[in-house]
Amino acid sequence: MTTILRLPSEPGQLTLPALLLRNAEDHGSLPALSWRDNGDGGGWATLTWQEVRHETAVLAAGYEALGVERGEQVLMMMGNRPEHWLSDLALTHLGAVPVSVYGTAAPGQIAHIARHSRARFAIVEGARERTRWEPLLADTTVALEALVVVEPAEAGPHRTYASLHTAGARMSSPEAFDGAWRKSRADDLLTVVYTSGTTGDPKAVPITHRSVVANALALDRVVELPDHVEHICYLPFAHIAERMLGIYLPVFRASHVHLCADTAAVAATAGALRPAQFFGVPRVWEKLASTLRNALAALPEDRQAVIEAAAGTAREHVAHRERGEEPPAVLEAAYRSAKAEVLDPILSLAGFDRLVWTASASAPMPLDVVRFWAGFGIVVMDAWGLTETVGVFTTNSPSAFRLGSVGRPLEGLELRIADDGEILVRGGTVFPGYLRADGSVEGALDADGWFPTGDIGRIDDDGYLWLTDRKKEMIITSTGKNVSPALVENTLKEHPLIGQALVHGDGHSYLVALLVLDPETAPAWAAARGIDVTPDALPDHPAVREEVERAVGAANARLNRTEQVKRHRLLAQEWGPETGELTPSLKLRRRVVHARYAEVLEALYEEGGS
């Protein structure tokens, strides 16, 4: 159990502003927030907890002067930058409700959120965001009155963040600031998270101070972390995972947030910081594993053999822990030697040699990736939850884990499996229902308080939850068989050449797949075999196609007949949030891929009949 810092009141009465005051009083000189300072050669700029609270007070006065009122939602579309993080806290201290909007949101989604939230103000980053929000100022169905633009050179006729900060510094009053936040109660809204579903309008999930604190307390009972631990913050704040990991838990734990504005820089940031904890969605862990595998493959064979022997020792050590057994003294000694002499020096290149806690969530984690990291003594603690459960609902922990599962429920929470396999949840952090535009709540729980999650899974005899897939994403073949696409896709991706996969087969008698070459592994694999072509040409090279055929065959050998892929098409272009195939949290948007590659998928069936 992580050391709980002083709680300034009873847990059920705590608010985020009360915790921030505690941090300024008890841990004021410790670093709280860091970000890359482009004006200082790319070094880190840092605010202590005392400085964070001062900045929060200044900004709160600025937003109050702008006209922000208690209880109203204020929309924000910015990247992971200090203005976003600090504005969130400042608005919370005013009793307003900060709401982050995905930077990749389509104009229609932005309009829906603006209309539904009845927000009068939006804070946006620069010209790219400004041009998407400006039309709403003239839309009579939207309450939006004004934009605040962070980048001063791109603000145009709108108010700048700097001018708001200047006004706040001039008008800030400790008495007014203190009086405002002390009016907040644990059951007040802390934020509203608009779900990033791939179909329909986003739904508004209300999150209270009480539910966030309850989740934080439950997590602290199973998560072992050093005091004031650092966190690399790179997922969008519009996602519940980064809201908890990047804002709320750091305030609760008085830890140190490092903002990473570019997801492509996550690996480099980890390498520089050598963090004690690291959270990565499955795609991040996959890409890091791919990079490390490529580096190892370039080593001499005798060195590779030494590393593989050490990895075998680490996996054996993890296997004992997974079974709840104390590793034998001989194995413990061998593992410590392997870690110190072989594995940690390799991990240090990625900045992972100091890790004591690693986690993943958001989508099923490929088991081969989990076992790869176990070979370095890193047990990725897979967790599961929803926006509607304030993030983590089940998790593995160092004292109780099953590789491939998403763990057991946090204390005080319940789950069960419905007759159709859907996971149902109940407990104090489960929301009551979705927020309507008029501020009322549309109940989402049944008469007994259970919420249907839309996920399919099973619970084993030891209480661990194993995810199968999203209920709405299950494939039903023309023969009436149900297939989990994620299971098949993760099996295909076990081959290092295959970085991404989408399986299709609804209404057909067999499955087909779109496969994307791993952008790091494929060029290295080709170079090692003397294949001298551009990355775009690799999918058409006979040797690459032959190897992928073998990979599909190997995957099919481990799948049942219904799950096997009969035909596939190899693609060169990696899918990403920028091109729309992945969500901002790097989950596959199946409907987008289906629509974009409809002709390719249809051709795969025409080639072989249906």
Side-chain angles (χ1 to χ4, degrees), residues 195-442:
T195 58
S196 60
T198 56
T199 59
D201 290 327
K203 293 182 177 180
V205 179
I207 307 289
T208 65
H209 293 261
R210 187 190 301 278
S211 59
V212 163
V213 170
N215 187 260
L217 284 165
L219 281 170
D220 256 22
R221 295 186 183 105
V222 297
V223 175
E224 298 286 348
L225 289 173
D227 289 343
H228 314 297
V229 71
E230 58 281 292
H231 168 66
I232 299 175
C233 171
Y234 66 92
L235 289 173
F237 286 126
H239 193 281
I240 187 61
E242 199 64 90
R243 283 216 144 256
M244 285 300 300
L245 291 168
I247 303 176
Y248 304 144
L249 282 172
V251 172
F252 179 81
R253 293 171 172 158
S255 50
H256 185 186
V257 177
H258 286 79
L259 297 174
C260 184
D262 181 6
T263 55
V266 171
T269 302
L273 295 178
R274 298 176 61 226
Q277 72 160 345
F278 184 79
F279 174 86
V281 294
R283 185 60 185 147
V284 169
W285 284 112
E286 290 173 29
K287 290 180 77 67
L288 291 170
S290 176
T291 300
L292 190 49
R293 279 175 170 141
N294 290 337
L296 297 179
L299 296 174
E301 289 187 8
D302 58 342
R303 182 60 180 159
Q304 290 186 45
V306 170
I307 295 169
E308 185 49 45
T313 300
R315 291 190 188 99
E316 187 179 354
H317 189 269
V318 168
H320 276 78
R321 293 172 54 203
E322 186 176 15
R323 294 192 296 268
E325 303 169 355
E326 192 75 24
V330 173
L331 175 59
E332 184 68 36
Y335 170 67
R336 290 187 181 279
S337 174
K339 275 286 283 180
E341 298 174 13
V342 180
L343 302 178
D344 281 349
I346 295 170
L347 290 175
S348 68
L349 301 176
F352 279 1
D353 55 313
R354 292 179 57 244
L355 286 175
V356 297
W357 176 268
T358 51
S360 182
S362 182
M365 184 82 148
L367 190 56
D368 73 303
V369 176
V370 176
R371 297 204 180 280
F372 172 81
W373 288 109
F376 285 87
I378 293 176
V379 181
V380 180
M381 300 298 170
D382 220 347
W384 170 80
L386 311 166
T387 305
E388 292 86 346
T389 64
V390 196
V392 173
F393 194 91
T394 69
T395 186
N396 287 283
S397 70
S399 61
F401 64 90
R402 295 288 185 275
L403 297 182
S405 84
V406 291
R408 297 190 284 203
L410 296 177
E411 186 175 310
L413 303 180
E414 302 175 82
L415 60 83
R416 66 181 178 88
I417 306 299
D419 293 340
D420 63 356
E422 185 172 8
I423 303 166
L424 308 180
V425 295
R426 182 169 67 179
T429 61
V430 179
F431 82 141
Y434 296 102
L435 201 63
R436 296 189 180 101
D438 64 4
S440 63
V441 172
E442 179 184 353

Side-chain angles (χ1 to χ4, degrees), residues 27-33 46-54:
H27 315 287
S29 63
L30 290 178
L33 183 69
T46 297
L47 294 176
T48 65
W49 280 111
Q50 197 170 59
E51 290 167 336
V52 160
R53 193 165 189 273
H54 172 75

Side-chain angles (χ1 to χ4, degrees), residues 17 66 183 226 261-262 264 277 303 401 407 453 455 512 593:
L66 182 67
K183 293 178 183 177
D262 181 6
Q277 72 160 345
R303 182 60 180 159
F401 64 90
T453 65
D455 281 336
V512 298
V593 178

